[in-house]
Amino acid sequence: MPAETIVLIVEDDSSFRRSLAATLKAADYKPIEADTLAAAARAIAHYRPALILLDLGLPDGDGVDFVAKLRQSALTPVVVITARDAEAMKVAALDAGADDYVTKPFGVDELLARMRAALRHAVQAKGAEPVVRTGALEINLATRIVRLAGAEIDLTPKEYEILALLAAQVGKVARHRDVLKTVWGSEGADMQYLRVYVRQIRAKIEADPSAPRYLISEAGVGYRLAQLG
Ligand code: CA
């Protein structure tokens, strides 16, 4: 990661904000701090950050509205910081155009992984890498061949489509409704179908399908293909 990747931290809790800034600095990012949405808007215009870390509870307005407004003029990736049990807020932020979220309390590794994924997707824009690797799993989006530890995995077309959708944004959450819409062509498709397919995929790619490492459930939000080393 180049040393001059500017990350704007928008958070009114000053001790938490400072500790985030120290964390980012240690990871070779250049953190800029804002404690209100007004200060964030000024910092965006002045510094043009590569990424924005946004707390949703700010004194001068609603973070979700802020993301929606930002998206009218900029594609800067936004990772939202949310409280536990705030599924509705997470979905609202993603709907408004946020790229991902982290839930308090989160670990440094998790935060940095979310940031890397959001930055990578911003750079790639729409053109996903043709071969996606995570852990021992390899998904070739051009040939549609999926391998686990080198051995080809036999997936049905629907199973493949779900896995490919997640692989194209590896490390990043995909909402239930977006998976349903992409794979079944309808937001109204039954969530139950999706759960069944996810179970089938896990049976084929996970060592222990009841404790998945690759295909992760994000309660109330969607699924994520974990980016493992
Ligand atoms: Ca706050």
Side-chain angles (χ1 to χ4, degrees), residues 160-229:
Y160 173 79
E161 280 180 58
I162 294 167
L163 190 58
L165 173 70
L166 298 175
Q169 51 177 322
V170 62
K172 213 180 126 177
V173 69
R175 286 172 296 176
H176 292 132
R177 52 171 255 196
D178 290 340
V179 180
L180 291 171
K181 198 172 173 184
T182 304
V183 177
W184 278 275
S186 151
E187 287 181 42
D190 197 335
M191 266 295 296
Q192 196 54 38
Y193 287 135
L194 184 53
R195 285 198 203 95
V196 169
Y197 278 97
V198 164
R199 223 166 19 238
Q200 288 170 189
I201 298 168
R202 281 180 178 148
K204 294 177 181 182
I205 66 169
E206 302 284 357
D208 178 359
S210 64
R213 290 176 62 232
Y214 293 110
L215 209 173
I216 308 300
S217 295
E218 297 285 353
V221 179
Y223 293 102
R224 182 193 307 276
L225 184 66
Q227 176 71 76
L228 306 172

Side-chain angles (χ1 to χ4, degrees), residues 20-194:
L20 270 181
T23 299
L24 297 195
K25 211 174 256 176
D28 278 341
Y29 291 97
K30 183 175 162 59
I32 305 290
E33 301 178 38
D35 57 356
T36 60
L37 293 176
R42 284 194 298 273
I44 291 165
H46 189 263
Y47 294 103
R48 303 192 164 278
L51 182 137
I52 300 165
L53 279 181
L54 177 67
D55 176 43
L56 289 181
L58 289 152
D60 61 340
D62 184 342
V64 173
D65 290 344
F66 183 79
V67 176
K69 222 170 282 167
L70 176 74
R71 278 291 166 269
Q72 291 171 5
S73 59
L75 293 172
T76 317
V78 175
V79 175
V80 157
I81 300 167
T82 67
R84 192 171 286 285
D85 302 327
E87 272 75 29
M89 279 289 256
K90 293 172 192 170
V91 171
L94 293 170
D95 278 344
D99 294 79
D100 211 334
Y101 59 82
V102 284
T103 305
K104 288 179 189 174
F106 49 82
V108 171
D109 290 345
E110 186 189 355
L111 173 68
L112 296 177
R114 296 282 182 278
M115 290 174 51
R116 278 195 302 271
L119 285 165
R120 195 167 55 235
H121 296 303
V123 169
Q124 284 172 356
K126 289 193 184 88
E129 292 279 343
V131 181
V132 177
R133 292 185 183 84
T134 171
L137 190 63
E138 183 186 292
I139 299 118
N140 189 318
L141 298 170
T143 63
R144 300 170 67 95
I145 291 172
V146 176
R147 292 179 193 278
L148 184 65
E152 197 171 326
I153 302 288
D154 192 18
L155 297 170
T156 68
K158 280 272 185 282
E159 290 168 1
Y160 173 79
E161 280 180 58
I162 294 167
L163 190 58
L165 173 70
L166 298 175
Q169 51 177 322
V170 62
K172 213 180 126 177
V173 69
R175 286 172 296 176
H176 292 132
R177 52 171 255 196
D178 290 340
V179 180
L180 291 171
K181 198 172 173 184
T182 304
V183 177
W184 278 275
S186 151
E187 287 181 42
D190 197 335
M191 266 295 296
Q192 196 54 38
Y193 287 135
L194 184 53

